[in-house]
Amino acid sequence: MSLHATIDRVTDRIRNRSHSSRDAYLKKIARAAEEGPRRAHLSCGNQAHVYAAMPDKEDFVATRKPNIGIVTAYNDMLSAHQPYERYPDLIRKAGHAAGATVQVAGGVPAMCDGVTQGRAGMELSLFSRDVIALAAGVALSHDCFDAALYLGVCDKIVPGLVMAAGTFGHIPAVFLPAGPMPSGLPNDEKSKVRQQFASGEVGRDVLMAAEMASYHSPGTCTFYGTANSNQMLMEFMGMHLPGSSFVNPNTPLREALTIAGVERAAAITKLGNDYLPAGEVLDEKAFVNGMVGLMSTGGSTNLVMHIPAMAKAAGILIDIEDFHDISEAVPLMARVYPNGLADVNHFHAAGGIGYMIGQLLEAGLLHPDVKTINGTGLDGYTAEPKLDGARIRWDAGAKDTLNDKILRPASEPFAKTGGLKQLEGNLGRGVIKVSAVAPERHIIEAKARVFSDQEQVKLAFKNGEFTEDTIVVVRFQGPRANGMPELHSLTPMLAVLQDRGLKVALVTDGRMSGASGKVPAAIHISPEASVGGPLARVRDGDVIRLDAVMGVIENLTDTFADRKPVPFDGSDNAEGMGREMFAVFRAVAGPATEGAGVVV
């Protein structure tokens, strides 16, 4: 099948837009590759510091073994990252067996958005991505590594690590996932209890029992939010081994895949014949393939910000129009919560990523001719890993869906488009994800209620103030205002209003997580209100039209354009929970439509 015209056109547009920056980037990593790891040029004292703790340092100093650096996001507070505790020992053994040495180059922070939702700490969440990139950069700055293994799963962790991998693009990079926890309480039941608690129908004891039954063991949360969207993305972009994203932790198959990833890292260093620098994998085609994966699976809107930031680290410039156009061409092939009842384990069992990549390749919706850590060509990612003793073999993956309520072929999708829309109008630019929103809610015209933080919305809901169709405007939530926290804690109460028969929508310069669900939400509105963006001129009672069909976000009030913007008061967000240390980040963060980056 020839490449779909839209995919070809968008790729060319990105390539042309990025010509100068990508050319400069490739020259930069080529110069770094020519120099190679500098450990051979270090003084004896410098080298001794590198090798001092190695148990086999004499053998390493005397030979030309590749040295692999681990950059790990391990901590045992995040269920998704707890399995990484065992990885360094396993990786060292696998590396030694493959003729390499291995060192933990450094650790990076990993915070849990599930813990900080609706709390002050969430205002550090987005910026933690850039801190992760910086920390990974410090780890790799020792210039002693022939390849890097990146251990990370969740929301900001993978994007931050990819930003580092792109910046150190001359170093081969392999991403090693940890896998999702086994299925617990079904996500729709958990969501129902949350709504019942929000409306006062059940007590906190019932809510706590439901949450504990849902989040119950090591591994990624099983709904298809940002963490699992990250894992999908790494496979579509060729940074994981095929079929490795959704294998459960602490299983023989998971361990064998980790060993295979280490062996691959050892094989693609400049010391061998298959040198594959990360910057060559992270090209325009790879990012387009990632966006196709995002749309076809109904993935997290957070990736609409993270992908431009990741791409920029590799000299590639991506705009939200690229997401919109790809979404219009790519069918929605998966129904995974919050876009359906299944979780990622059910998705994986139904055929998973390998099935989807096969279908999308056949439909001409993916670039097949890409470089991946598995070798040249994306067709290898249609294979399924199987255990052959303690080793991995890759067999042909599923050709047919094993559950058409979860996974469908590209020719008979759940929807003809990916469900992500660009919004433009006199309120700015932003996006909306409609794959889980009922069609009758794709257009809403209603009076605005304006709030400056999410706590004000919760109080108004508690006081019973929402009695008519309403567009809830929550402004001063952008990166320069307060770090752009997710507003996911508003979802249950907005869903309650919707279930009562009201037409409601959220309009914000903030974020919603990958679990935003069935309530229409116009998010990432830029320019943000704190820098005088249009949301700062909205008043209570203004009539706003949110039209996800035509891609329009408009304030219909006659006097809107003539008003002065309401000034931003950031005093409530300036300190506490470390926010004072991030003032410099808030001062320089880019717009959400360009990735809200600080370091790229």
Side-chain angles (χ1 to χ4, degrees):
M1 174 69 74
S2 59
L3 190 67
H4 191 285
T6 298
I7 304 303
D8 194 25
R9 175 174 56 83
V10 172
T11 306
D12 277 345
R13 183 170 69 202
I14 294 170
R15 189 179 290 115
N16 292 334
R17 186 192 299 136
S18 311
H19 175 74
S20 296
S21 54
R22 179 66 175 175
D23 183 62
Y25 170 81
L26 291 174
K27 289 176 179 176
K28 179 190 79 168
I29 66 170
R31 289 192 300 269
E34 286 175 8
E35 295 177 356
R38 302 292 292 178
R39 64 174 182 272
H41 308 288
L42 297 175
S43 70
C44 292
N46 293 140
Q47 291 194 54
H49 280 290
V50 175
Y51 312 138
M54 278 188 175
D56 52 354
K57 52 183 171 288
E58 289 80 9
D59 180 47
F60 178 77
V61 173
T63 62
R64 276 176 53 83
K65 289 183 176 181
N67 189 32
I68 300 172
I70 301 172
V71 180
T72 178
Y74 162 73
N75 66 51
D76 62 7
M77 191 196 74
L78 274 74
S79 62
H81 290 71
Q82 188 272 345
Y84 284 136
E85 183 174 15
R86 295 177 52 249
Y87 274 45
D89 285 340
L90 176 64
I91 291 169
R92 289 188 193 99
K93 291 176 184 176
H96 293 171
T101 55
V102 179
Q103 294 177 300
V104 174
V108 303
M111 66 181 292
C112 181
D113 289 2
V115 175
T116 58
Q117 287 285 355
R119 300 174 61 82
M122 174 54 81
E123 296 180 21
L124 276 58
S125 176
L126 178 59
F127 291 147
S128 75
R129 180 194 68 190
D130 293 62
V131 173
I132 289 160
L134 290 168
V138 171
L140 297 173
S141 69
H142 296 96
D143 205 6
C144 301
F145 305 107
D146 299 283
L149 293 170
Y150 294 92
L151 313 185
V153 176
C154 286
D155 300 48
K156 264 54 76 199
I157 293 90
V158 168
L161 293 175
V162 173
M163 288 161 65
T167 303
F168 287 79
H170 62 290
I171 300 176
V174 174
F175 280 66
L176 297 179
M181 66 178 66
S183 301
L185 181 73
N187 285 294
D188 61 320
E189 293 185 27
K190 173 193 69 180
S191 179
K192 181 180 179 180
V193 173
R194 286 179 174 178
Q195 290 188 38
Q196 289 173 333
F197 178 75
S199 60
E201 297 175 49
V202 300
R204 184 169 293 277
D205 57 335
V206 175
L207 176 66
M208 190 64 191
E211 299 289 354
M212 291 292 288
S214 181
Y215 308 116
H216 61 93
S217 74
T220 316
C221 309
T222 60
F223 67 87
Y224 194 49
T226 311
N228 286 316
S229 296
N230 284 338
Q231 303 310 294
M232 172 281 302
L233 188 74
M234 291 297 93
E235 199 158 331
F236 267 82
M237 291 179 63
M239 301 296 283
H240 278 176
L241 287 176
S244 62
S245 295
F246 298 132
V247 174
N248 299 127
N250 303 318
T251 61
L253 182 57
R254 175 86 277 158
E255 183 169 306
L257 282 164
T258 300
I259 292 170
V262 178
E263 292 170 345
R264 192 61 191 150
I268 59 177
T269 74
K270 205 167 188 293
L271 297 177
N273 298 320
D274 295 316
Y275 176 51
L276 184 62
E280 292 186 9
V281 178
L282 297 169
D283 68 0
E284 297 91 344
K285 292 180 179 179
F287 281 104
V288 168
N289 283 351
M291 287 189 278
V292 170
L294 183 67
M295 301 310 160
S296 62
T297 59
S300 169
T301 54
N302 278 331
L303 271 296
V304 179
M305 279 201 313
H306 295 323
I307 287 176
M310 291 186 273
K312 196 171 184 180
I316 297 168
L317 306 179
I318 290 175
D319 188 83
I320 59 174
E321 69 173 342
D322 303 322
F323 291 94
H324 174 88
D325 289 354
I326 289 174
S327 179
E328 289 295 292
V330 174
L332 178 67
M333 298 166 57
R335 285 289 191 197
V336 190
Y337 189 85
N339 298 332
L341 298 181
D343 66 24
V344 294
N345 293 308
H346 305 137
F347 165 77
H348 185 65
I353 292 175
Y355 170 78
M356 294 195 68
I357 288 177
Q359 285 286 311
L360 291 162
L361 284 170
E362 287 183 16
L365 291 166
L366 287 170
H367 289 284
D369 53 336
V370 292
K371 293 182 178 180
T372 75
I373 65 163
N374 195 48
T376 301
L378 197 62
D379 58 338
Y381 282 76
T382 64
E384 184 176 1
K386 299 286 188 180
L387 275 177
D388 188 355
R391 306 284 301 173
I392 289 287
R393 73 170 192 270
W394 272 271
D395 294 344
K399 298 294 184 183
D400 300 301
T401 176
L402 301 179
N403 188 331
D404 65 5
K405 292 182 174 63
I406 300 171
L407 200 53
R408 290 187 182 174
S411 58
E412 300 177 42
F414 291 101
K416 292 182 179 180
T417 68
L420 190 91
K421 299 278 190 175
Q422 177 182 214
L423 297 171
E424 289 188 273
N426 64 4
L427 286 176
R429 296 180 78 205
V431 296
I432 183 171
K433 177 181 173 183
V434 295
S435 52
V437 177
E440 63 270 19
R441 300 185 185 280
H442 289 189
I443 300 174
I444 294 183
E445 188 174 306
K447 292 180 180 179
R449 280 291 309 273
V450 184
F451 302 91
S452 296
D453 63 58
Q454 56 188 316
E455 293 306 316
Q456 294 175 353
V457 182
K458 295 175 184 178
L459 182 61
F461 175 83
K462 183 178 179 180
N463 292 338
E465 296 177 17
F466 297 108
T467 58
E468 61 181 347
D469 295 349
T470 306
I471 290 186
V472 177
V473 176
V474 187
R475 62 190 178 195
F476 302 127
Q477 303 300 304
R480 288 209 174 190
N482 62 352
M484 205 177 186
E486 287 182 354
L487 305 177
H488 177 47
S489 64
L490 297 182
T491 300
M493 61 194 70
L494 294 177
V496 167
L497 295 176
Q498 191 168 263
D499 290 345
R500 289 175 182 170
L502 298 181
K503 286 189 174 182
V504 293
L506 175 69
V507 174
T508 182
D509 48 10
R511 291 187 294 133
M512 292 291 281
S513 76
S516 52
K518 62 184 181 180
V519 177
I523 58 176
H524 307 177
I525 300 296
S526 296
E528 63 177 279
S530 68
V531 297
L535 287 185
R537 300 201 304 271
V538 180
R539 303 289 187 270
D540 282 344
D542 286 359
V543 176
I544 291 177
R545 181 175 177 82
L546 171 57
D547 185 343
V549 177
M550 300 302 297
V552 173
I553 180 76
E554 291 274 356
N555 189 316
L556 303 180
T557 309
D558 292 339
T559 59
F560 174 68
D562 300 324
R563 296 174 185 160
K564 290 183 179 181
V566 173
F568 170 60
D569 178 4
S571 57
D572 288 342
N573 308 99
E575 61 185 28
M577 288 298 115
R579 288 177 289 182
E580 49 270 80
M581 295 190 292
F582 282 79
V584 65
F585 280 56
R586 294 191 294 272
V588 300
T593 48
E594 298 176 17
V598 173
V599 300
V600 294

